[in-house]
């Protein structure tokens, strides 16, 4: 419970200032940064030698989900036609966030039982770094702007 409180409290300043961050850095760099941040946090928590240190490391959520969530919403707004935006947000959150977290938490529990929390956190970090790599490669492909969608 304390770890979740630390994570949630650390997200407030970042989410409150997200618009400034996006104007300065852009959506795609923030998405990549958040995935790398999540991966580094997972490694740090996996290496933490004690519960208090692991809880303290949850503060690094500020560079993970606190940036990823609004950046993800912004990214959807950039790549989805406005006529389908509400459906895209609903489906992406229902499948990507909600169902993904339910399945991910269950899988993480089984993995942690088998190889330990540190091993599970290293696997989590590998997925985060893979997501960052995919976003970098995908980011190299120019996005169609809203005006170019409307022209075609």
């Amino acid at each position: 419970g304390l770890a979740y409180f630390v994570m949630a409290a650390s997200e407030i300043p970042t989410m409150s200032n997200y618009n400034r961050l996006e104007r300065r850095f852009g959506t795609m760099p923030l998405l990549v940064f958040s995935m790398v941040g999540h991966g580094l946090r997972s490694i740090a928590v996996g290496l933490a030698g004690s519960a208090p240190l692991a809880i303290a490391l949850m503060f690094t959520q500020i560079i993970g989900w606190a940036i990823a969530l609004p950046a993800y919403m912004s990214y959807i707004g950039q790549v989805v036609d406005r006529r389908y935006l509400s459906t895209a947000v609903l489906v992406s959150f229902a499948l990507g966030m909600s169902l993904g977290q339910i399945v991910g938490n269950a899988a993480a529990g089984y993995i942690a039982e088998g190889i330990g929390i540190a091993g599970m956190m290293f696997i989590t970090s590998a997925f985060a770094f893979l997501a960052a790599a995919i976003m970098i490669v995908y980011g190299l492909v120019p996005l169609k702007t809203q005006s170019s969608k409307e022209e075609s």
Side-chain angles (χ1 to χ4, degrees), residues 61 96 98 102 115 134 143:
Q61 183 80 352
S98 301
I102 291 168
I115 63 173
I134 290 169
L143 293 175

Side-chain angles (χ1 to χ4, degrees), residues 31-36 127-138:
L31 278 170
V32 170
F33 178 77
S34 70
M35 293 299 107
V36 170
F127 277 109
F129 294 140
L130 176 63
I134 290 169
M135 293 305 291
I136 290 170
V137 170
Y138 185 74

Side-chain angles (χ1 to χ4, degrees), residues 13-152:
T14 304
M15 286 188 170
S16 298
N17 292 298
Y18 176 78
N19 288 335
R20 285 187 220 156
L21 291 170
E22 185 175 338
R23 280 192 302 272
R24 183 167 181 178
F25 300 107
T27 304
M28 190 64 73
L30 288 174
L31 278 170
V32 170
F33 178 77
S34 70
M35 293 299 107
V36 170
H38 185 68
L40 293 174
R41 178 182 69 90
S42 296
I43 289 172
V45 170
L47 294 173
S50 67
L53 179 57
I55 290 170
L57 287 167
M58 291 300 159
F59 182 73
T60 59
Q61 183 80 352
I62 199 167
I63 60 171
W65 286 115
I67 292 175
L69 194 57
Y72 180 62
M73 290 291 298
S74 180
Y75 178 75
I76 290 172
Q78 293 172 15
V79 299
V80 173
D81 187 308
R82 296 218 183 273
R83 293 175 291 180
Y84 308 109
L85 191 55
S86 62
T87 303
V89 169
L90 174 67
V91 170
S92 67
F93 270 82
L95 296 178
M97 297 287 185
S98 301
L99 184 60
Q101 288 182 355
I102 291 168
V103 172
N105 283 336
Y110 288 118
I111 292 168
E113 283 181 6
I115 63 173
I117 292 175
M120 184 265 306
M121 294 306 285
F122 293 137
I123 290 171
T124 300
S125 67
F127 277 109
F129 294 140
L130 176 63
I134 290 169
M135 293 305 291
I136 290 170
V137 170
Y138 185 74
L140 297 175
V141 178
L143 293 175
K144 284 188 171 185
T145 62
Q146 189 68 27
S147 61
S148 65
K149 285 183 193 176
E150 292 170 0
E151 291 172 5
S152 49

